Amino acid sequence: MTVSMDKTPDVPPPPRSGALRKRSRSAVARSAGGDRSVLVLLGLVLLAAGVLVALLGYGVFGAARAGRPLLDPVVVDLIRAQPLPARIIAIAAGVLLLVLGLSWAAGSVRPERKPDLVIDRGPTTAIIVDAAAAADALAAQAAALPGVGRARARMVGTEDAPALRVWVWLSDDADVRDVLERLHDQVLTAARTSLGIAALPVAVRLELDQATTHPRVA
């Protein structure tokens, strides 16, 4: 369904610079901040465990403790006395680690979100533009620019903080500066205004539409 509006929607104020920088990073590439945080936390835990073992071995906590096994004999005797609870705890810990690992892997390979654009949200209704439709419309406008052979666009981010990635394939005789200026002035600026978005970070990737072939010299 196509929604026509007689007036340009009210544009909200632009977000703060910090939030805008974060959205700009999401426009350039998929964010891996969550994966990095988990890896840093896991690395710190393993580092702390390694340092503790090294301190025990060098006798920092006493020469007597350094000569004893790493696992206290009291704990070993307790495990031997209660083998069933120990096995249950070990199995539960293994299952928990397996679930966490699978969840992490699934989140890493999960397709990136394509947020719809909310133009106007009322108490009971809202005007929403489908992410694929908005991206296709922008790509079609970009492909119609002089010097552009074809174009593709994709909405990324979230509904509250959308961003855009645009792939532009240039013809051999294209003026890159002119293409970028027209893309900004005729396509992206008009899209921000018509959609009522104060800030829509955009990452543009330029490629040649086809390799230039040179005739062979006999």
Side-chain angles (χ1 to χ4, degrees), residues 6 15-16 30 49 63 72 82 100 105-106 141 147 156 216:
D6 296 333
R16 296 181 179 180
R30 182 174 183 174
D72 197 286
Q82 303 290 338
L100 291 177
Q141 295 179 21
V156 294
R216 294 184 178 182

Side-chain angles (χ1 to χ4, degrees), residues 3 115-119 127-135 195:
V3 179
D116 296 333
L117 299 177
V118 182
I119 297 179
I127 300 176
I128 300 177
V129 178
D130 181 73
L195 294 174

Side-chain angles (χ1 to χ4, degrees), residues 4-213:
S4 299
M5 293 180 294
D6 296 333
K7 62 178 182 178
T8 301
D10 295 333
V11 179
R16 296 181 179 180
S17 58
L20 190 58
R21 282 196 298 269
K22 183 178 180 180
R23 291 170 57 181
S24 300
R25 289 194 297 268
S26 67
V28 174
R30 182 174 183 174
S31 176
D35 294 343
R36 287 195 297 266
S37 300
V38 173
L39 288 176
V40 169
L41 180 61
L42 181 60
L44 291 176
V45 171
L46 295 177
L47 177 63
V51 171
L52 179 60
V53 172
L55 293 177
L56 287 174
Y58 285 112
V60 175
F61 298 101
R65 184 66 186 88
R68 295 166 59 184
L70 182 60
L71 193 61
D72 197 286
V74 177
V75 178
V76 175
D77 294 339
L78 180 61
I79 293 175
R80 290 175 179 173
Q82 303 290 338
L84 182 59
R87 291 174 183 173
I88 294 176
I89 293 175
I91 292 173
V95 171
L96 178 60
L97 291 176
L98 177 62
V99 171
L100 291 177
L102 292 177
S103 301
W104 185 14
S108 299
V109 301
R110 182 177 53 198
E112 197 172 13
R113 290 186 57 189
K114 298 179 181 179
D116 296 333
L117 299 177
V118 182
I119 297 179
D120 187 16
R121 189 188 299 276
T124 58
T125 60
I127 300 176
I128 300 177
V129 178
D130 181 73
D136 291 344
L138 288 170
Q141 295 179 21
L145 296 177
V148 177
R150 54 196 175 99
R152 183 164 61 92
R154 176 173 182 166
M155 299 299 303
V156 294
T158 62
E159 292 183 358
D160 297 329
L164 181 67
R165 291 181 197 153
V166 181
W167 291 264
V168 176
W169 283 266
L170 302 174
S171 57
D172 294 339
D173 57 347
D175 185 341
V176 177
R177 184 183 183 88
D178 181 68
V179 169
L180 291 177
E181 289 179 352
R182 289 176 181 271
L183 182 64
H184 177 271
D185 297 337
Q186 300 180 17
V187 179
L188 300 178
T189 301
R192 293 188 184 100
T193 304
S194 60
L195 294 174
I197 300 176
L200 180 64
V202 181
V204 180
R205 292 175 172 84
L206 300 177
E207 298 184 20
L208 286 177
D209 191 16
Q210 59 183 1
T212 304
T213 58

